[in-house]
Amino acid sequence: MQRVGTTDLKGGNFKKVLTALQQIDDVIHLDFPILRNEKTLAHVVVGLSKQRLEAEARAAAWQQSVLNGLIIVFLSGCLYLVFRHHALRPIRALALGSQRVAGGDLATPVELYSGDELGHLSTAFNDMMQRLALTLGEKDQALHSLHDLNKSLEERVAQRTVQLERSETRMRAIFESMGEGIITLNPQGYVISMNPAAERIFAVRSRESEGIHSALLLADAHTEELSRLDSYDESKNAVFQISSSITPGEYQGRAFNGREFPMELMVTAMQLGDENLRVCILRDITRRKETEARLAAAQQQLVDAAHKSGMAEIAIGVLHNVGNILNSVMLSGEEIARVAKNSKVAGLNKANELLRSNAHDLGNFFTTNGKGKMLPQYYEKIGAALSEETKSINGEALKLNEKLAMIKDVIATQQAYARADAYTEQLDVVPVIEDALRVQEASLRKLGVTVRKDFKAIPRCAVHKSKFLQVLTNLIKNAKEATLENDKFNRIQEIVLETGRAGPGDVFIKITDNGCGIAAENLQRIFNHGFTTKENGHGFGLHTSALAMTEMGGSLSVHSAGLGYGATFTLLVPSGQAKVAVTPTADAARLSAA
């Protein structure tokens, strides 16, 4: 460093001095002005030797290079340790895992848990080992199963062989011991074999039938038709043809001893290797035909007996139904007699006699006589009374005509039913119920029986009108008679009639009374022929009614909670079927035999 004299600076020659210093090449000069209140008070000029700076810089550079080398060596060591831990260790673990796999150890996984590629590789390696272990396990299991299956198959083959042998023995035993004859035919119609039953049926010894033609097993009624053919084709003309029907046909067979007999025959196909054989199953039905003939004779005897019995029961049925109507006829006759007995005609005759006695002076009679003055008013009143009497008599006479027509209809219906089946018609049953009520109207009114109706909308029903009317009339009459003793228990006499739907295809009509009820032990017998609890009953009405409902496709049932609790009779009637023939039941057939 070069020192500058202070005289030069004081002389104000600072810039020149600084310029002179800057021209020295091996010195670096730095100027630092000293300021106070923004005025330069002095300058500090520092000079640095370039040689010294360069020497110090080289020394610092060498030291830095040594330090960097040490840092690089340290970092290299660290990187080696890290690489050894994170790279060589997983690789070594994978190598050991590969050796274990090669040695057959698939259960020990590679224990490496990291998120880098080696971690993913070890995870994949472990998955591969698990799948390989699973595959090997499945293979072992499959081999074991295959071994067991093979063993089981051998056992089953042995068992099946035994079963087939037993089955063949059993089938042979069945074939030889069964009652039906079995004949095997070849395609040309010749007998291959017969079981013992067939040999017995055709009276042939064992094996003598082999080779004979099947046409020789038939009676002349079948072979004569075959003999008239110009040419015989077994597949087209033979009686022993394969049939798809499950019903056997009936033919006349002929045994080797010449006996002809009726037989049932069914022919089926059997494939035996490349042969198309026919198996004929036949049965000698001689005994059945004889039994059928005896049964037909017995049935005819039963029909004749039922006809005679039915004639009597028809008469009872007619009398029973006519009797129901005659009760109302008698009530109408009694009403007419009562009106006639209490008629005002006698008063009219007296008034006429009074007129005749005063005929010579009627003017004075009507104006001055007290009776004459009242006579016009009396004639007016008696005219009204006689008009009411006439109206009542006419009404009862009309009812009599209606009831007599019903009697005629009952008789005609029974006669028609005895000659042929009845037919139903589609009609509204409510008017028929009203007609049945009218049959019993007079007696119901006389006995003070209240009738309550609960008629709901119902479709038209398929019934035989006259029979249905008879059933309703009989049930209403029974309900009325069941309430006769209600006065003893201070109960009103009431009958309830209801209609409604019993389902999609049926209509119900219920007839309920609050009378004496039915004992539980009688409910099961009440529709039996001849059963009755009435002193003067004959047990025919409910039985006939139940049969009539069955014939019309409906039913009649009864319910009662017991004695003193009344009863409900329910009719179920089919709806929506018109003009359907009514087929009588077994019991009803007897009723129709007139």
Side-chain angles (χ1 to χ4, degrees):
M1 180 181 293
Q2 186 176 0
R3 186 180 299 273
V4 180
T6 58
T7 57
D8 293 331
L9 294 176
K10 291 181 180 180
N13 222 359
F14 175 73
K15 292 183 179 181
K16 290 180 180 182
V17 173
L18 184 59
T19 300
L21 292 174
Q22 289 176 347
Q23 290 179 355
I24 301 173
D25 294 332
D26 58 349
V27 177
I28 297 174
H29 298 87
L30 300 176
D31 179 19
F32 299 99
I34 299 173
L35 300 176
R36 183 180 182 183
N37 294 329
E38 296 182 358
K39 291 182 179 180
T40 302
L41 299 180
H43 288 270
V44 176
V45 178
V46 178
L48 300 173
S49 173
K50 290 182 179 181
Q51 294 179 352
R52 186 177 178 182
L53 287 176
E54 290 174 356
E56 291 179 357
R58 283 192 297 270
W62 184 83
Q63 293 176 356
Q64 187 64 42
S65 298
V66 173
L67 181 60
N68 290 341
L70 293 175
I71 292 174
I72 289 172
V73 170
F74 175 76
L75 293 177
S76 297
C78 292
L79 288 175
Y80 169 75
L81 295 176
V82 171
F83 177 76
R84 180 179 178 182
H85 179 75
H86 292 281
L88 295 181
R89 180 173 169 271
I91 293 173
R92 187 180 297 108
L94 290 173
L96 292 175
S98 300
Q99 293 175 1
R100 286 196 298 272
V101 171
D105 183 7
L106 300 176
T108 305
V110 176
E111 296 182 357
L112 183 61
Y113 308 99
S114 63
D116 55 9
E117 290 75 4
L118 289 175
H120 296 319
L121 180 61
S122 64
T123 302
F125 187 81
N126 289 335
D127 293 342
M128 180 188 69
M129 286 198 323
Q130 291 178 358
R131 287 195 294 271
L132 184 59
L134 182 61
T135 302
L136 291 176
E138 291 176 350
K139 183 196 73 173
D140 293 339
Q141 185 177 1
L143 289 174
H144 183 70
S145 299
L146 185 60
H147 179 269
D148 293 342
L149 180 62
N150 184 48
K151 183 178 179 181
S152 175
L153 184 60
E154 292 176 353
E155 293 176 352
R156 281 189 288 177
V157 168
Q159 292 175 358
R160 185 59 177 165
T161 302
V162 174
Q163 290 175 355
L164 287 174
E165 292 175 352
R166 291 178 179 174
S167 177
E168 184 179 358
T169 303
R170 185 166 53 251
M171 291 300 298
R172 174 61 59 181
I174 293 173
F175 179 77
E176 293 179 353
S177 63
M178 68 184 303
E180 284 77 11
I182 300 178
I183 303 175
T184 307
L185 305 179
N186 65 13
Q188 291 74 37
Y190 292 94
V191 175
I192 297 176
S193 66
M194 280 188 180
N195 72 336
E199 293 173 352
R200 288 193 300 270
I201 291 173
F202 288 98
V204 61
R205 286 182 294 182
S206 177
R207 297 189 178 278
E208 288 185 358
S209 62
E210 294 181 6
I212 67 172
H213 199 276
S214 56
L216 299 177
L217 304 176
L218 299 172
D220 293 339
H222 301 292
T223 57
E224 285 180 2
E225 184 178 352
L226 297 177
S227 65
R228 289 192 292 269
L229 298 174
D230 295 333
S231 61
Y232 177 80
D233 186 349
E234 177 68 25
S235 62
K236 296 179 180 178
N237 306 123
V239 174
F240 295 87
Q241 290 288 337
I242 297 172
S243 174
S244 59
S245 174
I246 61 174
T247 303
E250 292 189 3
Y251 300 91
Q252 284 294 114
R254 184 174 60 190
F256 277 61
N257 58 10
R259 181 182 71 92
E260 294 188 359
F261 59 92
M263 67 177 182
E264 280 185 344
L265 175 66
M266 179 180 290
V267 183
T268 59
M270 181 177 72
Q271 186 75 28
L272 186 61
D274 56 352
E275 276 192 293
N276 296 319
L277 305 181
R278 283 173 287 170
V279 177
C280 308
I281 302 174
L282 55 93
R283 177 186 301 160
D284 186 347
I285 57 174
T286 301
R287 291 186 178 179
R288 193 183 77 186
K289 288 296 183 181
E290 293 172 352
T291 303
E292 287 177 354
R294 291 194 296 269
L295 181 60
Q299 286 177 338
Q300 185 60 44
Q301 293 175 0
L302 288 174
V303 169
D304 294 341
H307 178 77
K308 295 177 182 179
S309 175
M311 292 176 62
E313 292 189 2
I314 285 290
I316 294 174
V318 171
L319 292 176
H320 179 81
N321 291 311
V322 169
N324 287 337
I325 302 174
L326 283 178
N327 289 333
S328 298
V329 171
M330 291 178 61
L331 291 174
S332 296
E334 292 175 359
E335 181 66 17
I336 292 175
R338 184 190 65 79
V339 172
K341 181 179 180 180
N342 300 321
S343 177
K344 302 297 182 181
V345 174
L348 179 63
N349 290 333
K350 291 181 180 179
N352 291 337
E353 181 64 28
L354 187 61
L355 282 176
R356 283 193 296 271
S357 62
N358 293 280
H360 61 281
D361 190 11
L362 289 177
N364 187 40
F365 177 71
F366 282 120
T367 56
T368 60
N369 190 291
K371 293 183 178 179
K373 292 180 181 180
M374 296 175 61
L375 196 59
Q377 185 178 2
Y378 177 76
Y379 270 114
E380 183 179 355
K381 290 181 179 181
I382 201 171
L386 290 175
S387 178
E388 287 296 323
E389 290 179 3
T390 303
K391 183 178 179 181
S392 176
I393 292 173
N394 287 336
E396 293 298 329
L398 181 61
K399 291 180 181 179
L400 281 174
N401 288 333
E402 290 176 353
K403 291 159 188 172
L404 290 174
M406 288 181 185
I407 294 174
K408 180 180 178 182
D409 187 48
V410 167
I411 296 173
T413 299
Q414 296 289 356
Q415 290 174 342
Y417 185 65
R419 290 193 298 269
D421 288 342
Y423 285 87
T424 65
E425 57 182 313
Q426 196 176 38
L427 48 82
D428 185 359
V429 298
V430 173
V432 184
I433 299 174
E434 297 287 359
D435 290 341
L437 281 173
R438 277 192 289 273
V439 171
Q440 298 290 331
E441 180 180 5
S443 60
L444 290 171
R445 186 170 60 247
K446 180 179 179 180
L447 295 173
V449 178
T450 301
V451 178
R452 186 159 53 87
K453 305 173 187 177
D454 183 12
F455 296 158
K456 295 182 174 60
I458 54 175
R460 295 167 71 85
C461 299
V463 296
H464 186 274
K465 185 175 181 180
S466 296
K467 285 184 173 298
F468 192 58
L469 176 63
Q470 293 167 23
V471 171
L472 289 170
T473 302
N474 186 54
L475 293 178
I476 294 173
K477 174 178 174 292
N478 289 347
K480 173 193 69 179
E481 293 174 352
T483 63
L484 292 178
E485 297 185 357
N486 279 17
D487 289 341
K488 296 180 180 179
F489 305 99
N490 197 25
R491 288 200 307 260
I492 63 170
Q493 295 173 259
E494 184 180 56
I495 298 175
V496 180
L497 301 175
E498 301 176 72
T499 63
R501 288 181 177 270
D506 291 325
V507 166
F508 72 81
I509 298 99
K510 291 185 178 181
I511 301 173
T512 303
D513 65 76
N514 65 341
C516 59
I518 303 172
E521 61 270 17
N522 294 334
L523 286 175
Q524 300 298 324
R525 300 186 295 160
I526 196 166
F527 296 115
N528 292 349
H529 182 269
F531 177 79
T532 181
T533 57
K534 301 177 184 177
E535 292 183 2
N536 299 321
H538 49 67
F540 187 75
L542 288 178
H543 174 71
T544 304
S545 299
L547 289 180
M549 292 307 302
T550 301
E551 292 161 8
M552 287 185 282
S555 65
L556 172 60
S557 60
V558 62
H559 172 74
S560 176
L563 294 176
Y565 291 95
T568 298
F569 286 82
T570 302
L571 298 169
L572 283 182
V573 186
S575 63
Q577 299 175 355
K579 300 297 180 185
V580 178
V582 176
T583 303
T585 60
D587 286 341
R590 292 191 296 109
L591 299 180
S592 64

